[in-house]
Structures are given as C-alpha cells and as structure tokens.
C-alpha cells in the first residue's frame, strides 16, 4: 500500500512528550516541536492491524515472548544488513537507553573507565556518571561539516586504562554512518587494548542515500567477542512509546548476567503490545520503511537547500543516517542558552540544544525532520524571518 507521510496528525491530546514538553521545558506551547527523536507519522498498517487484533482479544494478562519473535528479529537483520545473529544470545529489554544503563551498572566495575565520542546523545553521559564510573570523552574531529573518529585520542584513552567504549552507530547527533574501514580501525584499537564495546545501533535501519550500516559485532569474530549490541524497532518504525529493544551478547555468561539484573527488579517480560508490534514490524513493516526513507531524504534536502539559499548563517550537516540534522549555528554568535531562547521565542521552533550532547555541541542545534513536509517548510520560513529580523 501507499503511505501518506504528508498527513498532519494531532498528537496534542495523546500525552506525547514532544508536545506536552513545549510549555514546561521551552516556555512556548506554540513552538513547532522538532526536538524529541520520534516521528509524527502513523505506524505501518500491519503493525496497527496486529495491535488491533490483539486488542480485540480483550485480555491483557502477563505475556511471554510469542513464537516467531526471535526469528522475526534475526530475519530482518539478515535481510537488511546480512548480519547473522545467534538468537540464543539475544535478550529483550525495555529500551536501548535502559539497556545501556543496566550494562554499565551491572557488567562494568566501579573503577572502570568508559569512553564516549562527543558530541553524543546525552543519556550516554548519565549512564556512566550515574553508575559512578569514570567518563573519558573522545571528541570527534570535524572538517568542513564532516565528522571523523579521532583514533589517536581513542588510543590515548586506551593507554589511560579505558575498559569500555559506548559506540553510537549511526551517530546521534552528527548523523555519521561509520564506514566498515572506520569501524575496523576502531576495532583494531579495541582488540589491542582489550576494550569492550557497547554498541548503540538503534538508528541502524534509517540509512540514507545508499550508505551502508555495518554492525560492529559482524566485522570479525574477535570483535563479536568484545561487543554487546543494542537494537530496537522503536526508532525505525516509530514505536518508542511501546518500550521494547533487543540486546545481543557475545556469550551466554554475559547474557545471563544481564538477565539476572532485570530479574532482580522483577522485570522479566515486555509489554504485550510491544511484543506484538515489534514482531509485526520486523515481519511486515519493510514496505512502510522503504517509503519512509526517501521521504526523510527529501525533507533533509529541503533543509539543506533552503538554508543555503535563504539562511546562509546556519550550516546544516547532511546526515548519512537517522532523521536528525545537526545545525551549525555558530555564525549567529550566541551561547547555548541564548541560541535556544532565540529558536524558541524568536523563531518559534523547539529543537534540541547542542549543549545537551556535550560541551563541544555549543553553537549547534539538533533538528528532527521526521514530520510532514509542511511542518518542515513552516519551521524554515519562521527561522528565516527570525534570522533576518535579528541579524540583517
């Protein structure tokens, strides 16, 4: 079937964080919400049908993982990434961020040093600090709006005794889809120093313009043995509110330790609808996904072209994956708080502040374009007007 991503859907009365947070967090309930990383699109029809069918049963008691769930996950990864997963090493979880937090808390030691590559998704910082582990920041290199890993700095952190690295692949917020060569270079450092990898690959199905995602653990057997990978249908199919993810472990002992940690909290099974929706997404959602990706690409093209012609003081970084655009606003000459205030109260747009992703995000904003094109167009026009009134 053909999906209509131009449809405007009212999320205002659904408790959607993206909308309810406008007043409490931004102080402008009328701002266009382009911050929280979910989509303003309806889920694929097979997912809606599966949820409806399950709802009509009318009984929502304790529910175990259905037959075919693991096969659906593994088959999807094989089709999309040529990644063979041993389903005996898979565990369900409430989400990628909860999984990372649990991994850091339960599978690392109090004196372990953990590397993150900044600017990066804010909860990475909290996962390390809240567990009272030592955080080592390795800033990405930036050249003409393109970001690279700093292998020399990573190796220096390795020599300082780093035991883990949290890898964001594809990278949020800069949108890099790391090439196999880049990941192999990182992998050589990890093997040399015995650094274990927690790979957040939640955006790995949202790959743009023919780029190719390489699962880190699929590069070699050596790296598979060092890697815990977190994936989910939530970003891919807009199911974040159903709270479900999958974690793939290098061995049964590590998986068992993770599972025991959840059991201590008496959290051993997922929400009934998360199970139904995830399985339906992986089995039947690809038609929707194949239509979504070019729509996101065109939204990104719109932002790139519009800013180049009309708002040259703002330089978007073209993402290779995700539906998030990293906007370089440094030529506006504002601090983090000033920039957020300008965007919210002058331009009427709520975006994620660059400083949420680390101190080297100063002067940047993250823009979510997983919304109808009319919304992106409206935001760009408002931004142009605000910049012209302030600076021209």
């Amino acid at each position: 079937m053909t999906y209509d991503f131009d449809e405007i859907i009212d999320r205002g009365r659904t408790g959607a964080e993206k909308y309810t947070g406008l007043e409490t967090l931004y102080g402008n309930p009328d701002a266009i919400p382009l911050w929280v990383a979910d989509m303003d699109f309806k889920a694929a029809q097979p997912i809606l049908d599966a949820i409806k069918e399950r709802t009509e049963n009318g009984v929502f008691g304790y529910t175990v993982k259905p037959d075919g769930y693991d096969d659906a996950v593994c088959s999807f990864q094989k089709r999309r990434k040529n990644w063979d997963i041993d389903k005996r090493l898979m565990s369900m979880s409430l989400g990628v961020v909860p999984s990372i937090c649990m991994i850091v808390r339960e599978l690392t030691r109090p004196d372990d040093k953990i590397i993150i590559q900044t600017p990066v998704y804010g909860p990475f910082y909290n996962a390390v600090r809240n567990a009272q582990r030592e955080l080592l920041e390795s800033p990405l290199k930036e050249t003409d709006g393109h970001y690279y890993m700093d292998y020399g700095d990573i190796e220096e952190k390795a020599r300082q005794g780093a035991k883990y690295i949290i890898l964001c692949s594809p990278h949020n917020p800069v949108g890099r889809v790391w090439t196999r060569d880049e990941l192999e270079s990182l992998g050589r450092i990890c093997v040399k120093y015995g650094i274990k990898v927690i790979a957040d690959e939640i955006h790995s199905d949202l790959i743009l313009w023919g780029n190719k995602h390489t699962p880190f653990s699929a590069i070699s057997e050596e790296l598979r043995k060092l890697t815990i990978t977190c994936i989910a249908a939530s970003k891919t199919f807009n199911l974040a509110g159903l709270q479900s993810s999958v974690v793939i472990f290098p061995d049964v002992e590590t998986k068992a330790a993770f599972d025991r940690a959840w059991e201590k909290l008496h959290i051993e099974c997922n929400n009934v609808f998360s199970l139904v929706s995830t399985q339906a997404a992986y089995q039947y959602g690809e038609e929707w996904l194949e239509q979504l990706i070019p729509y996101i690409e065109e939204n990104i093209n719109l932002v790139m072209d519009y800013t180049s012609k009309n708002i040259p003081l703002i330089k978007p970084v073209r993402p290779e994956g995700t539906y998030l655009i990293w906007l370089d606003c440094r030529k506006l000459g504002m601090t983090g708080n000033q920039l957020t205030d300008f965007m919210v109260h002058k331009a009427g747009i709520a975006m994620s502040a660059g400083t949420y992703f680390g101190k080297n995000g100063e002067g940047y904003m993250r823009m979510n374009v997983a919304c109808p094109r009319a919304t992106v167009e409206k935001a760009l026009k408002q931004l142009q007007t605000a910049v012209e009134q302030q600076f021209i």
Side-chain angles (χ1 to χ4, degrees):
M1 67 178 290
T2 300
Y3 290 96
D4 181 12
F5 297 108
D6 287 322
E7 181 183 2
I8 303 292
I9 299 169
D10 182 7
R11 299 181 63 193
R13 295 186 298 274
T14 65
E17 181 184 8
K18 184 185 286 185
Y19 290 81
T20 60
L22 290 174
E23 175 65 42
T24 56
L25 297 177
Y26 289 93
N28 182 0
D30 298 319
I32 299 173
L34 303 179
W35 59 298
V36 173
D38 65 12
M39 307 186 210
D40 287 336
F41 307 132
K42 283 185 180 178
Q45 192 60 46
I47 299 173
L48 300 179
D49 291 342
I51 292 174
K52 181 180 179 181
E53 180 181 352
R54 183 63 185 84
T55 301
E56 289 174 348
N57 175 265
V59 180
F60 311 114
Y62 296 113
T63 306
V64 298
K65 185 168 57 177
D67 292 339
Y69 183 96
D70 288 346
D71 288 334
V73 175
C74 293
S75 295
F76 184 87
Q77 301 303 319
K78 178 65 175 178
R79 290 194 306 273
R80 305 291 296 189
K81 307 176 186 116
N82 196 31
W83 182 19
D84 292 304
I85 297 174
D86 184 345
K87 59 186 178 183
R88 296 172 299 179
L89 299 178
M90 288 170 39
S91 292
M92 295 188 301
S93 179
L94 299 178
V96 166
V97 171
S99 297
I100 292 172
C101 291
M102 186 63 78
I103 290 165
V104 172
R105 185 173 296 276
E106 296 292 330
L107 302 183
T108 71
R109 299 188 307 181
D111 59 345
D112 282 343
K113 299 177 181 180
I114 301 176
I115 302 170
I116 62 173
Q117 295 171 286
T118 62
V120 75
Y121 185 48
F124 283 16
Y125 296 87
N126 295 334
V128 178
R129 289 171 175 157
N130 290 346
Q132 299 181 320
R133 284 12 176 201
E134 184 174 346
L135 181 68
L136 300 179
E137 294 187 38
S138 179
L140 297 172
K141 291 181 176 180
E142 185 266 326
T143 304
D144 296 328
H146 198 77
Y147 284 83
Y148 306 88
M149 297 189 193
D150 188 337
Y151 300 111
D153 184 74
I154 295 169
E155 185 150 18
E156 173 58 30
K157 299 296 191 300
R159 284 193 287 266
Q160 293 175 23
K163 298 298 183 182
Y164 286 82
I165 183 169
I166 305 177
L167 172 67
C168 196
S169 179
H171 194 280
N172 173 16
V174 306
R176 279 302 317 279
V177 174
W178 306 115
T179 66
R180 186 182 182 94
D181 285 346
E182 288 175 306
L183 294 172
E184 286 177 345
S185 295
L186 175 64
R188 284 191 286 272
I189 298 172
C190 293
V191 170
K192 179 178 178 180
Y193 292 93
I195 296 175
K196 295 182 179 180
V197 180
I198 304 167
D200 174 357
E201 300 189 7
I202 194 171
H203 289 278
S204 61
D205 302 310
L206 296 165
I207 306 301
L208 310 173
W209 293 295
N211 288 290
K212 180 178 174 58
H213 172 78
T214 302
F216 192 74
S217 71
I219 292 174
S220 69
E221 180 63 11
E222 277 185 311
L223 293 181
R224 189 197 68 77
K225 291 179 179 179
L226 292 175
T227 306
I228 301 171
T229 305
C230 303
I231 59 173
S234 57
K235 284 289 185 285
T236 310
F237 295 101
N238 204 28
L239 305 175
L242 292 174
Q243 296 182 304
S244 177
S245 69
V246 175
V247 187
I248 300 102
F249 296 93
D251 51 64
V252 293
E253 293 80 14
T254 308
K255 170 180 160 54
F258 179 85
D259 293 342
R260 283 194 300 271
W262 286 118
E263 289 167 5
K264 290 176 186 176
L265 300 175
H266 199 61
I267 303 174
E268 298 105 47
C269 58
N270 280 67
N271 176 287
V272 56
F273 293 109
S274 74
L275 296 170
V276 168
S277 62
T278 297
Q279 184 168 348
Y282 283 137
Q283 286 182 321
Y284 309 115
E286 282 178 90
E287 181 181 43
W288 180 90
L289 179 59
E290 290 300 322
Q291 294 178 44
L292 169 74
I293 289 174
Y295 191 89
I296 296 295
E297 290 173 341
E298 285 306 307
N299 277 358
I300 293 169
N301 284 335
L302 172 62
V303 173
M304 302 297 297
D305 294 342
Y306 194 98
T307 53
S308 176
K309 294 173 183 176
N310 302 294
I311 324 174
L313 289 175
I314 295 177
K315 301 290 185 184
V317 175
R318 181 183 289 276
E320 298 167 343
T322 82
Y323 46 72
L324 307 166
I325 305 179
W326 191 232
L327 299 179
D328 184 351
C329 306
R330 289 176 293 179
K331 288 187 177 179
L332 298 182
M334 299 181 183
T335 64
N337 290 337
Q338 290 171 336
L339 184 57
T340 298
D341 184 76
F342 170 78
M343 291 295 180
V344 172
H345 298 290
K346 301 294 185 181
I349 308 168
M351 293 186 282
S352 298
T355 49
Y356 171 76
F357 304 93
K359 58 182 180 292
N360 53 347
E362 182 84 30
Y364 289 82
M365 302 294 289
R366 191 192 73 176
M367 182 182 195
N368 176 358
V369 296
C371 56
R373 192 151 300 134
T375 303
V376 180
E377 291 171 345
K378 185 173 187 291
L380 290 169
K381 289 175 182 177
Q382 290 180 192
L383 181 55
Q384 178 186 357
T385 299
V387 170
E388 288 176 351
Q389 289 177 346
Q390 182 93 0
F391 297 98
I392 298 176

